[in-house]
Amino acid sequence: MVPRMWNGRSKKPAKTDSGKTANLELAKAPTHASAGRLATPVRSDRREATYEARDRWAEARPRVNIGSTNAKRDIPMFAERYVQGRMNLDGPVSKRISLREVNDDYATLKDGSLTRSSFVLNGNSYPKRRAMNAMTNKGAIKTIATHYIDGAFVESHGREVMDIIRPTDGQVIARVTLADEEDTRRAIAAAKRAFATYGRSTREERAEILRRLHEAASARVDDLTAAMVEEYGGVVQFAALIVQSSVGAFLAAEKALQELEWTRGWDKTTVTLEPVGVAGLITAWNANALFICLKLASAVAAGCTVVIKPSELSSLQTRVLIEALHEAKLPKGLLNVVTGLGNVVGVELVRNPDVNKISFTGSVAVGETIMRDGAATMKRVTLELGGKSPTILLDDANFGEAIPTALGIAFLNSGQACAAGTRLLVPGKRLEAAKRAIADAMHAFPVGDPADPKIAVGPMASQKQYERVQSFIRKGIEEGAEVLVGGEGRPEGLEAGYFVKPTVFANVKNDMTIAREEIFGPVLSVIAYESEDEAISIANDSKYGLHAAVIGTDLDRARRVASQLRAGRVVINGMTDDPQAPWGGFKYSGVGREYGRYGIEAFLETRAILEV
Ligand code: NAD
C-alpha cells in the first residue's frame, strides 16, 4: 500500500512520555448529554467549523506541565475540541482549566491540565489509578487487555499475554492480552446481529457513517503517527503520510459509494448490489492503520458489518485508532476488533460459517492457507499479498532525478512495503553511470531514529525481520552479487535496535534469490538489460505482480512499456497514489482489488429480480 500524498508536510510526532509519575485524578464518566452531543450527526457547516478550529489548534498547540515535573506534553487535539465544546471557549485550552466532566478517555491532573488515559482499559483487572500512573512514567510498560466488541471495550477472555518490543532499542513497551476463539466468536455474533439492521441501511446512512468515521479518525492523527513510530519503527515522514491516507480512506469510500450504480434495470429485470454479510478483516503490521481504515471503509460503504483482526504486532496503533473510531458512535456491533494471533483469531474468522467474507493483507503463505481453509465455508476472499516489484529505468532517463526516485521507491517504509521497487532494471550501456549515481544519491537516505523527520530508513520492525534481512544480504553475497552500498550487520552507532544497512547489490541476475524473493527490508537489486523487450521480460519474470514503476523522458514510450507489465499498478516517473484507482496484484500478489469502487465491489453480491 502507498500513502495518498507523497509531497505532504511531515512533522515530528509529539513525545508521549512525560518523565516522573504524575499525580492523577480519575475523570468522571461522560454525562448522558455529552454522549448525545457527540452522537449527533455532524452537519456539513459544523464540520467545516470543526476543521477550521482543528487547523487553528494544530498551529498553536498548547503545552502543559504534568504533575510536579517540568516535562511537557501536548494536550490531545480531541481533548481540546471536547473541552472547547463543553466550556464554550473560543481559543485553545490553557493549562489552568480544571475540568472534572471529561470523557472517560481523559483525566484531569492535579494542576487542572488534561492528559490522556489511553491504554487504561475499561474492565481490566488493574485499578485505573495505578494504570494511569504507569502510563505517565517514563519507560512505563503499557497494558492492553480488552477487545472492542459490540460497541464497547470488553475484557479479554483469552489469557495469553504478548510483549510489544520497541524496535529502536529492543525494550518491552507494552503487554497485550491476546484474544482467543471465544472472544472471536463473540465478536462474530455481534457483527451478525448488527448486520440484520445495517445490511438494510440506505446509501445516505452509510455515507453519514463514513463521514463520522473520518471525523473521528482525524482527531487522533498525531497520536496515531506517534504510535506507529514507536511501535514498529516506521519513519515519521512515511508514517505521517500513511496516517493521512488512513483517515482519507473514509472520504474516498464515501465518494465511490455515491458514484456506484447500486440498481440497474431493464424490461422486467432489476439488478441490485447487496452487502455480502459479516466480513473478517485481517491486516499486516507494516501499515496496519491504513489497512484497517481501507477495509473498514469499503465494507461499511457496502453495508457489511466487520470483525477486524489487526496484526498482533500493531496493538498500540490499533488501540489508538479504535479509541478514535469509537467516538464515531457507530451502531453497536458494526465494528468489532479482536487482537490475537493468526493461528487462533485468524483461523477462527476464516473457518467460522457466520463470516461471509475475508479481506486479508499479508504474506503469500498465509494467503494460501486462507484460500484453502475458507473453501469449506465458501468464503469470498480478497487477498493482498507480497511483491518483488520492478522499476524500469529507460535508457533516456535523467539519472540525476531518476536514481533518487528509484531509491525512494525501493526504500519505502524502510523497505518494509509490499510495493517497494526492489528490482532496479538499468540499461546495460549506462550501468556504470547508474552505479555512480546510486552511490551519490545514498546520502539522501540516512538511517536512524524514525522519529527524526530527516531520517529515511528506520529499524526493522522486529528481531525476526532483522534476521530475515541479514540472511538475504548474506545470500546475495554468496550467490555472487556485488555489494555496491551497505552489506551485513548494523550501521555504525545503531547497535541497540533492529537497524540494518540500506543495501544495494549490483551485478544481480534475475534468477538469484535476492531478485526472486520478497526480502521486506531496504535491499535493492540492480539488474542490467540490453533492450526494451528484455527489460519488460525481466520485469514480468517474477511470481509476483503487485506494483511496477517506469522512469523515462519519452512519455509515450514509458506508457507503452507500462502497458505490457503484468502488475496491478504501474506508476510512471515517480511514486503516486489515487484512492479511486484499484489496488491489488496479478499472480501470487493476490486475488481481488481494494480502493474506490473496486474495494466496495469486493464486499458486494449481485441480486437479480425478474418478474413474469
Ligand atoms: P503475515 O501473513 O505473517 O500476517 C498477516 C496477518 O495474518 C496477521 O494479522 C497475522 O496474525 C495473520 N495470520 C497469520 N496466520 C494466519 C492464519 N493461519 N489465518 C489467518 N490469519 C493469519 O504477514 P505480515 O508479516 O504481517 O506482513 C508482511 C506481508 O504482507 C508481506 O508479504 C507484504 O508484502 C504483505 N503485504 C501486502 C500488502 C498488499 O497490499 N498487497 C500490503 C502490506 C503487506
Side-chain angles (χ1 to χ4, degrees), residues 170-326:
Q171 296 301 307
V172 176
I173 51 169
R175 296 218 160 88
V176 181
T177 307
L178 299 170
D180 63 7
E181 289 87 348
E182 179 57 27
D183 292 306
T184 315
R185 285 193 283 268
R186 287 176 188 171
I188 295 169
K192 190 177 175 187
R193 280 194 302 276
F195 182 70
T197 311
Y198 188 67
R200 298 200 309 272
S201 54
T202 64
R203 175 168 32 181
E204 253 330 296
E205 285 164 342
R206 295 176 201 171
E208 169 60 25
I209 282 187
L210 287 165
R211 289 192 291 267
R212 278 181 9 218
L213 284 165
H214 173 258
E215 169 89 1
S218 299
R220 294 289 298 276
V221 291
D222 289 354
D223 293 342
L224 196 48
T225 307
M228 287 171 70
V229 172
E230 183 175 34
E231 187 171 35
Y232 87 94
V235 289
V236 65
Q237 52 171 272
F238 187 80
L241 293 175
I242 286 282
V243 170
Q244 278 175 26
S245 294
S246 310
V247 168
F250 296 112
L251 292 188
E254 189 210 343
K255 181 168 187 284
L257 161 82
Q258 305 290 7
E259 289 168 5
L260 258 177
E261 199 179 5
W262 291 86
T263 305
R264 291 182 63 205
W266 60 90
D267 302 331
K268 290 187 172 184
T269 298
T270 307
V271 178
T272 56
L273 301 178
E274 302 296 329
V276 66
V278 172
L281 315 180
I282 303 177
T283 68
W285 52 266
N286 66 324
N288 174 70
L290 176 60
F291 307 139
I292 289 180
C293 292
L294 272 174
K295 291 177 194 298
L296 173 63
S298 297
V300 163
C304 292
T305 57
V306 308
V307 178
I308 299 176
K309 194 216 90 63
S311 169
E312 59 277 19
L313 300 175
S314 308
S315 300
L316 295 182
Q317 302 153 63
T318 301
R319 182 72 192 194
V320 173
L321 180 62
I322 302 309
E323 281 175 3
L325 299 184
H326 177 64

Side-chain angles (χ1 to χ4, degrees), residues 77-96:
M77 201 180 285
F78 176 75
E80 289 172 37
R81 285 169 44 188
Y82 188 82
V83 174
Q84 199 248 5
R86 287 191 63 78
M87 301 196 68
N88 289 328
L89 299 178
D90 282 327
V93 178
S94 90
K95 70 174 182 176
R96 293 216 306 277

Side-chain angles (χ1 to χ4, degrees), residues 25-181:
E25 290 173 38
L26 286 175
K28 284 185 194 163
T31 61
H32 189 70
S34 70
R37 193 181 68 78
L38 287 171
T40 310
V42 184
R43 290 198 329 270
S44 61
D45 52 348
R46 201 168 129 204
R47 234 188 359 259
E48 283 309 317
T50 310
Y51 290 158
E52 259 184 55
R54 187 191 66 190
D55 292 341
R56 213 172 52 239
W57 282 321
E59 292 296 322
R61 189 71 69 81
R63 312 286 285 185
V64 295
N65 289 322
I66 292 209
S68 58
T69 74
N70 288 326
K72 305 276 186 186
R73 64 190 285 149
D74 289 332
I75 295 180
M77 201 180 285
F78 176 75
E80 289 172 37
R81 285 169 44 188
Y82 188 82
V83 174
Q84 199 248 5
R86 287 191 63 78
M87 301 196 68
N88 289 328
L89 299 178
D90 282 327
V93 178
S94 90
K95 70 174 182 176
R96 293 216 306 277
I97 289 168
S98 174
L99 191 77
R100 290 288 177 267
E101 281 189 306
V102 291
N103 185 289
D104 203 24
D105 283 340
Y106 300 98
T108 41
L109 302 181
K110 238 189 167 180
D111 67 358
S113 58
L114 277 173
T115 188
R116 280 198 57 73
S117 60
S118 46
F119 315 115
V120 177
L121 308 163
N122 304 325
N124 74 0
S125 55
Y126 293 96
K128 277 193 171 182
R129 177 182 289 270
R130 217 181 82 193
M132 287 171 71
N133 282 340
M135 156 81 188
T136 53
N137 269 335
K138 189 168 175 60
I141 295 173
K142 292 157 192 160
T143 312
I144 298 179
T146 55
H147 309 294
Y148 190 72
I149 299 176
D150 217 9
F153 289 95
V154 296
E155 190 176 353
S156 182
H157 180 271
R159 284 282 164 255
E160 194 179 338
V161 175
M162 191 187 94
D163 288 344
I164 300 287
I165 312 279
R166 183 167 44 215
T168 46
D169 59 8
Q171 296 301 307
V172 176
I173 51 169
R175 296 218 160 88
V176 181
T177 307
L178 299 170
D180 63 7
E181 289 87 348

